[in-house]
Amino acid sequence: MNFSSVQSCPHSQFCSGCQFLGQSLQQQKDFKIKKLSSALTQIGLCPTAIEFISPGDFALRDRMDFVFENNQWGMYSSSLKKIVDLNSCGQLSDELHSFYLEFRKIKWPIRKGSFRLRTGLQGLRGAWLDFSNHDVKNLLEQETHLRELMSLGCVEIGQKAKTLVDRGGKLKLAEPSLQAWFETRFQEKNFPLLGSIASFTQPSRKANLFLGKLLEQHYAEKKFKKTIEFGAGIGNLSLIFLDASEKFMTLEFDTQASVALKENLKHAGQCEKVEIQVDDFQRRQSFNWQDCDFL
């Protein structure tokens, strides 16, 4: 289910999901190059010729965030004050699009909420639901709709990404469970990243690996005495730059993300090399950034 051009999306007049629908690929390239060049110039840098590289036009997303309101699934309209019901999207990978169509068959007894669908490595499927506490309580007691969803894949609920499990025939919320939902590059190989469905990642594994390979090539011969990474998340870029750094410090404010980061570093055999600080580093600086040579 791929659209052949930006003009062919049936939701292009209303959906707010894509900013450049209606513009040719060349127009989009020209705009983005001009925008980046202007931003670099404003901070005193003189950009050389900027090359525009893309992994593809459509069917890249393995993660989607949509809204449910008044029995409509989709995104808020760019021109109307309501949800645009999206029964298809050309940006979804084939696996995610198939999952989305099955997910839409569930008739949720709630007025409003949001959800994330994600497909991962080796056929993983998962959904994260962000509903009101009242709706979550009712769904757990009623069970039917949540069991329908569990038959499609893993389920996480709420801001703490609690995992939905069956214990003795009763649905319960357990601690978050880390699985291989994403992947990055490490030592010139694709490397699975553990995380939750609710973890922030880039929306596309394919585009992320494409970017990772470019970074590997660019920094292959570089060596840094100390690297500090701001907002490490679950370690997507951390692992790419590890081999180029003698010492490595990551700064992350999200406790859940830092748990996944530690697990990913452990699987990579790099725990001893990385110092992890979990704090609001934007407000409190408990580190000396002046003694590092790569930020």
Side-chain angles (χ1 to χ4, degrees), residues 39 101 140 144 178 252:
L101 293 182
L140 285 170
T144 303
L178 301 179
E252 177 55 56

Side-chain angles (χ1 to χ4, degrees), residues 181-247:
W181 293 108
F182 206 58
E183 58 187 328
T184 188
R185 296 285 295 174
F186 178 58
Q187 297 181 343
E188 300 183 348
K189 295 180 181 178
N190 292 358
F191 187 87
L193 284 177
L194 299 176
S196 63
I197 305 166
S199 295
F200 173 80
T201 66
Q202 295 301 318
S204 167
R205 297 198 308 275
K206 180 179 178 181
N208 190 65
L209 292 173
F210 182 83
L211 173 63
K213 290 178 181 179
L214 291 176
L215 291 172
E216 275 183 332
Q217 294 167 9
H218 185 74
Y219 289 97
E221 303 301 323
K222 302 196 183 293
K223 293 296 179 183
F224 305 104
K225 291 184 178 180
K226 184 174 182 180
T227 296
I228 296 180
E229 181 185 11
F230 296 86
I234 63 176
N236 181 38
L237 296 181
S238 312
L239 290 167
I240 293 175
F241 292 120
L242 270 176
D243 285 343
S245 308
E246 293 181 18
K247 293 183 179 180

Side-chain angles (χ1 to χ4, degrees), residues 6-210:
V6 293
Q7 305 290 345
S8 58
C9 174
H11 313 292
S12 61
Q13 298 301 312
F14 306 105
C15 181
S16 60
C18 296
Q19 295 176 307
F20 298 101
L21 281 172
Q23 296 184 26
S24 69
L25 186 58
Q26 188 60 51
Q27 287 175 318
Q28 296 179 44
K29 289 180 178 180
D30 292 343
F31 173 82
K32 292 178 180 180
I33 289 174
K34 183 178 180 181
K35 191 80 171 178
L36 177 58
S37 178
S38 175
L40 293 173
T41 302
Q42 288 178 15
I43 61 173
L45 298 177
C46 297
T48 57
I50 298 174
E51 184 180 2
F52 185 99
I53 305 174
S54 171
D57 299 335
F58 296 98
L60 291 173
R61 280 182 170 266
D62 304 295
R63 188 206 81 202
M64 63 184 297
D65 298 288
F66 276 24
V67 178
F68 175 78
E69 186 173 354
N70 298 325
N71 293 316
Q72 300 276 52
W73 292 106
M75 295 185 178
Y76 284 103
S77 169
S78 57
S79 57
L80 305 173
K81 293 183 178 180
K82 65 176 185 179
I83 298 293
V84 178
D85 189 41
L86 301 182
N87 53 23
S88 63
C89 176
Q91 290 298 342
L92 307 186
S93 66
D94 291 338
E95 295 82 1
L96 184 56
H97 182 247
S98 176
F99 183 23
Y100 176 57
L101 293 182
E102 293 180 56
F103 180 84
R104 281 174 59 92
K105 296 176 182 178
I106 302 175
K107 306 301 180 183
W108 295 95
I110 66 169
R111 188 186 67 82
K112 185 176 181 179
S114 62
F115 66 91
R116 169 174 293 172
L117 298 186
R118 189 189 284 277
T119 55
L121 279 64
Q122 298 181 338
L124 269 177
R125 283 177 162 190
W128 172 52
L129 309 180
D130 191 11
F131 297 162
S132 70
N133 291 336
H134 174 75
D135 285 333
V136 170
K137 180 176 181 295
N138 288 340
L139 288 169
L140 285 170
E141 292 175 350
Q142 185 254 16
E143 290 199 351
T144 303
H145 300 86
L146 291 178
R147 288 194 180 276
E148 281 188 72
L149 183 55
M150 288 178 74
S151 71
L152 301 180
C154 308
V155 182
E156 294 175 4
I157 296 179
Q159 292 296 308
K160 295 184 178 181
K162 293 292 186 73
T163 304
L164 185 65
V165 296
D166 185 325
R167 288 182 177 166
K170 192 71 176 175
L171 293 184
K172 301 287 185 181
L173 293 181
E175 291 303 306
S177 175
L178 301 179
Q179 298 189 71
W181 293 108
F182 206 58
E183 58 187 328
T184 188
R185 296 285 295 174
F186 178 58
Q187 297 181 343
E188 300 183 348
K189 295 180 181 178
N190 292 358
F191 187 87
L193 284 177
L194 299 176
S196 63
I197 305 166
S199 295
F200 173 80
T201 66
Q202 295 301 318
S204 167
R205 297 198 308 275
K206 180 179 178 181
N208 190 65
L209 292 173
F210 182 83

